[in-house]
Amino acid sequence: MCGDFVLLLADLSYYRDMLSNEKQKNRSEEEVIKKLCMANGVPYEKIAQEGSNITSLEMFFSGFPRMIGLSFFPRLSQLTIIGQNIEHIDGLECCPLLQELWIVQCHLTEISGLQNCLQLEKLYLYENKICEIKNLDLQVHLEVLWINNNCITKIKGLDTLLDLKELNLADNIIEKIGHSLDPNVNLQKLNLSGNKISSFKVRLKMKTCF
């Protein structure tokens, strides 16, 4: 009997702590969303009514450590996030109309979370910690891609981007090009400066290469 009572108390304590942690998490997320609203002139109290009319959001230098609250802005076409502690791309499943995305000078380690952004035309992910170009197969309308100043060692994952016109891969750790850009027949601008490429023995049908 005494043992059962001790177990009951332990269970109650566990659930109390769990509820407390959940409340703290909700409060924390609410504060982040409030800062997002404040930075973009959207009254937090009216976010449910006015959020659907917002097409552009921006967040500069701290205050947005996680990509949350974007479900309030389903018509978002441009999102700019600069100088945050963001490590993962999240919350964009509710933003199918997104055409331009900036997540720069953050702490991204990979390209992900874009599977519902099928209208994306411009993607800026420079000055992060990305090591591999991947998960862009569905972004067939992408025209501009900046992933310079990352940790990329190989050009790949761009085969389906037939509309790509501008590619910035400067200041990575790339050593060769090979035929990795052959499918990108509309590429006009390519920046590979600051890499470790020893030979440019490749046919590049574009207007500008620097």
Side-chain angles (χ1 to χ4, degrees), residues 8-21:
L8 178 61
L9 288 177
D11 288 342
L12 289 174
S13 178
Y14 170 77
Y15 286 116
R16 185 173 61 248
D17 291 343
M18 187 171 64
L19 288 173
S20 177
N21 291 336

Side-chain angles (χ1 to χ4, degrees), residues 108-119:
L108 288 183
T109 57
E110 66 175 0
I111 302 173
S112 61
L114 301 175
Q115 59 271 15
N116 289 338
C117 302
L118 303 181
Q119 297 188 31

Side-chain angles (χ1 to χ4, degrees), residues 41-89:
V42 181
Y44 175 74
E45 298 77 11
K46 299 181 179 180
I47 188 174
Q49 294 78 29
E50 298 187 11
S52 59
N53 297 321
I54 303 298
T55 59
S56 179
L57 288 176
E58 56 186 33
M59 201 67 180
F60 296 94
F61 310 117
S62 78
F64 198 60
R66 301 182 306 283
M67 295 177 65
I68 58 177
L70 298 177
S71 58
F72 291 106
F73 309 97
R75 296 182 183 177
L76 206 61
S77 63
Q78 180 176 347
L79 176 61
T80 303
I81 302 172
I82 297 178
Q84 308 291 337
N85 291 323
I86 292 173
E87 298 182 357
H88 305 285
I89 300 175

